[in-house]
Structure formats: C-alpha cells, structure tokens
Amino acid sequence: MSATQKVGRSGWYILGKEVDQFEKSFADWTHRKHVVGCANGMDALEMGLRAAGIKPGDAVLTTPLSAFATALCIVRAGGEPVYCDVDAHGLLDPEQVRRALKEHPKIRFIMPVHLFGHVADLDALGDITREHGITMIEDAAQAHGAQRNGVRAGDVGRATGFSFYPTKNLGAIGDAGALATDDPEIAQAVHTLRNYGQSKKYVHDEIGLNSRLDELHAAIMNEAFLPRLADWTARRRAIARAYLDGISNPRIQLLPGPDHDGSVWHLFPVMVAENADRDAFMAHLRQAGVQAGQHYPKLMPHQRAMTERSEPPRVVGELPIAQSFADREVSLPIHPYLTDDEVKHVIDTVDQWTD
Ligand SMILES: *Cc1c(COP(=O)(O)O)cnc(C)c1O
C-alpha cells in the first residue's frame, strides 16, 4: 500500500505511528538517540535553543551568512544573535569565534551552520565550546548525513536542527523539520514544546508552539525518500566532482569545500573573480537555460528586520569574507536528477563566459 493510502485509511493524520517510525529511522540515519519531528527546520532550531535553556536576551553566536531562518530562530527563542566572520568555505571561522568570545564574554550559545552541505569545523568549535562552557546547537538544515573527516553534522552539538523543506537534500512534500539529540531531557522538552507546551493531556506547563509533524509527510519521507537519500547524496557528490574537474574558466573560482566526499553538496557555490560582473555571469547562465542562485546576497545582520530592531545587530569585526560571498557567490545547479548531458552543458556554459 502506498504511504498516502495508508495514512488516508488510518484516519490518524498528526503525530502518530508514522511520525514515530520516521523519527526512529532518521535517528538511525543521523546516529542520534532521539529525533523529534516538527513543522519545519526553523521551529526545530528555536525549540532546540529553548529546550537547552535559553533565557531572554542571551547572546547566541552565529554566522552572518545563512538562510535568514538561522537568525530568526534565535530572536524567536528570545536570544540576541552575535555575528562573526566565516572561513574560505563560508563556514563559521573558529578564529573569529575566539575573538567574538573575547569581545562578548556573555555569549552562552553558539549556532554553527553546515552551509552548502559542508560540515563546519566541529572539532575546533567543540573545543572552544567546552573551554568556554557554552552550548552548541547545530543548524544542519542543509547537511543531512554530511561528514567532515569522519565527524558528522550533529556529532558535537547538544542538539541539531534539520529542515525537510522540499528543496533540501531530504525534503517532504511540504514543510517539515526535526531536532536530533542524544540528550533525553532535550528530546522530552521538545516533545512538550512542539505540542502547545502540553506535558500531559490538558496540562500546559510552559508557552509552547504548534509545531507538529504530519503523518503523511513522515510516511512519505520514511518509505519513499529516506531510502533514496544515500543514492541522491552519491549523485550530488558525482556532480560536484564533475564541476570541480571540468570547469576551467579563470574568472570563476571553484570552492572544493573542506571534505569533498563527506560533504552532501546541498549547493554548489562558486565565486566570480573580484573584478568580474556577477550579474553578467548570471545573465549568461540564464540565456543558456542554466538556473543559478545566490547564497546569500544580503548578510543577515544587514537585513532590515534586524537593523530596525530596538537592539542593533552585534557584529564582530568587519565580516570581509562573508561579504565576499554576498557580493560574488553564484550557486550552480546541483540536484540528484540532473543528467550527465545537463552537467556537461553547465560546465560548457560556465567555461564560455568571457564577461
Ligand atoms: C532551510 C534552512 C533553515 C530553515 O528551515 P525551514 O524548514 O525552511 O524552516 C534554517 N537554516 C538553514 C541553513 C536553512 O537552509
């Protein structure tokens, strides 16, 4: 029976057997003891911070270069984001993290983002976290199953948020997300938070969310999508390898990432040369039928939603590397169903660009 028919006939549509099953499968996939499904990735991260005990006004160190949901979940949880610069891969830079902790000794949480499907330097960040007694919540919305030199996304943080937005490496057919953790107290707290803060039927001990996972999404992910994720990831890696080996335009800088075979290549970022015109490159790609993106053209602390808050964004240093991504990054198409001919067409189109 198809997942859709099974759920339809069961008459049970939210937080049931299918969600339990998916949570178990995804816990195995991520090597965590507990997974709690919820409505989306941003809620997973907000609830992770709340379950880990964030208090109003607590400073949370993060990267300026991410989907806006990363900063938003911090604010929604009552925290104050502090931003420091990224490394050459676009990931939170441990050197800048040390500097941030010197300038802002009250930082209590850190939220690294495994951007593009690359795992941030969790060894170094884990050491810093322990030295300073701060709590790490990982944003792995783009990094389902990603590794870096054997360290998995989710291995070091107290909890890790995943998104199953349809374009993510593992996507539902709508919005969905999950928090993964080895800590039973965090898992229990998120169970309560996701369902109106209800600890027992009709008993509400805290201000919760409505952030439940639908049976239909859980069943489809568990039975149709999760079993394909390893193959999809292998295909993404093969495409990334083809681009890295094939593209030779001197105006386009390739970014091989910190660990090619461990990355899950959610995106394939390249940088146009400093003196080149990114808009012209995007137009050239568009004309050849190549769909490209930008991740992300405006840094989170520069977004009006952040600059117009009563609390101005706290930024450590000048963020030159994050800004160079904002100004010069282009994401080439990378998804598991690109054909070899399409990959070759992307390579040829990139190499034909002369500005
Ligand atoms: C997609 C994404 C999120 C948010 O996930 P949603 O499911 O859209 O709420 C958070 N962080 C990053 C890095 C993302 O890419």
Side-chain angles (χ1 to χ4, degrees):
M1 203 180 354
S2 78
T4 320
Q5 280 176 332
K6 187 166 64 171
V7 171
R9 286 183 191 162
S10 78
W12 190 285
Y13 303 138
I14 293 170
L15 294 185
K17 283 200 303 258
E18 301 298 331
V19 170
D20 287 348
Q21 267 308 320
F22 171 72
E23 288 175 344
K24 287 202 183 78
S25 310
F26 197 63
D28 285 348
W29 176 272
T30 54
H31 295 247
R32 295 280 75 84
K33 293 200 178 88
H34 310 276
V35 161
V36 186
C38 62
N40 55 68
M42 191 176 96
D43 283 359
L45 292 164
E46 176 190 335
M47 292 191 289
L49 287 167
R50 288 180 59 182
I54 193 170
K55 299 275 175 314
D58 275 350
V60 182
L61 185 59
T62 192
T63 164
L65 182 72
S66 184
F68 194 62
T70 304
L72 204 45
C73 73
I74 294 169
V75 174
R76 299 264 321 173
E80 279 303 328
V82 179
Y83 307 91
C84 72
D85 209 1
V86 296
D87 61 16
H89 308 298
L91 308 168
L92 204 53
D93 181 347
E95 282 311 305
Q96 296 298 320
V97 167
R98 287 192 186 279
R99 174 176 169 194
L101 287 163
K102 256 192 212 123
E103 281 182 31
H104 296 269
K106 288 206 176 128
I107 286 171
R108 286 201 52 220
F109 292 85
I110 181 168
M111 183 174 284
V113 177
H114 305 307
L115 197 70
F116 306 135
H118 304 328
V119 177
D121 188 348
L122 285 176
D123 283 335
L125 295 174
D127 287 345
I128 298 172
T129 303
R130 280 184 291 276
E131 272 167 46
H132 290 262
I134 60 180
T135 301
M136 183 192 294
I137 306 290
E138 298 178 41
D139 179 344
Q142 303 189 357
H144 314 68
Q147 296 189 26
R148 173 172 176 158
N149 308 322
V151 180
R152 273 186 210 86
D155 272 357
V156 174
R158 182 132 183 244
T160 301
F162 290 90
S163 166
F164 309 121
Y165 183 81
T167 60
K168 299 293 158 87
N169 291 41
L170 175 64
I173 51 167
D175 272 313
L179 192 81
T181 182
D182 283 340
D183 183 331
E185 282 174 29
I186 297 269
Q188 187 52 50
V190 174
H191 265 275
T192 303
L193 280 171
R194 76 174 170 181
N195 197 15
Y196 309 143
Q198 177 175 270
S199 56
K200 282 203 289 267
K201 197 157 193 181
Y202 305 130
V203 177
H204 300 267
D205 295 326
E206 58 188 313
I207 300 297
L209 289 75
N210 175 349
S211 185
R212 299 175 298 226
L213 179 57
D214 294 335
E215 290 282 277
L216 192 56
H217 289 314
I220 290 172
M221 284 195 289
N222 197 38
E223 286 171 31
F225 297 163
L226 192 54
R228 293 186 168 93
L229 184 51
D231 286 346
W232 287 341
T233 300
R235 179 64 184 154
R236 285 176 184 274
R237 287 180 180 140
I239 295 168
R241 175 57 67 206
Y243 286 159
L244 290 170
D245 292 346
I247 293 171
S248 58
N249 188 333
R251 305 181 78 79
I252 299 300
Q253 183 195 337
L254 297 170
L255 300 171
D259 175 357
H260 179 278
D261 297 324
S263 174
V264 295
W265 296 99
H266 174 62
L267 297 166
F268 189 87
V270 299
M271 298 273 232
V272 298
E274 239 166 290
N275 54 358
D277 180 345
R278 176 170 63 173
D279 290 342
F281 180 52
M282 297 283 293
H284 169 81
L285 294 174
R286 205 162 37 241
Q287 255 166 21
V290 174
Q291 275 188 21
Q294 295 176 4
H295 297 88
Y296 292 86
K298 195 168 198 172
L299 299 180
M300 296 190 296
H302 301 161
Q303 296 283 359
R304 207 162 68 159
M306 289 296 158
T307 57
E308 298 216 330
R309 298 179 65 230
S310 55
E311 191 74 31
R314 300 178 205 175
V315 174
V316 177
E318 300 281 318
L319 311 178
I321 305 188
Q323 192 58 50
S324 74
F325 275 87
D327 295 339
R328 292 163 45 209
E329 190 271 350
V330 172
S331 301
L332 299 179
I334 186 161
H335 62 79
Y337 291 107
L338 278 183
T339 64
D340 288 346
D341 284 347
E342 286 166 333
V343 170
K344 184 167 184 306
H345 177 63
V346 174
I347 295 169
D348 292 343
T349 304
V350 171
D351 279 350
Q352 279 153 11
W353 183 55
T354 52
D355 208 349

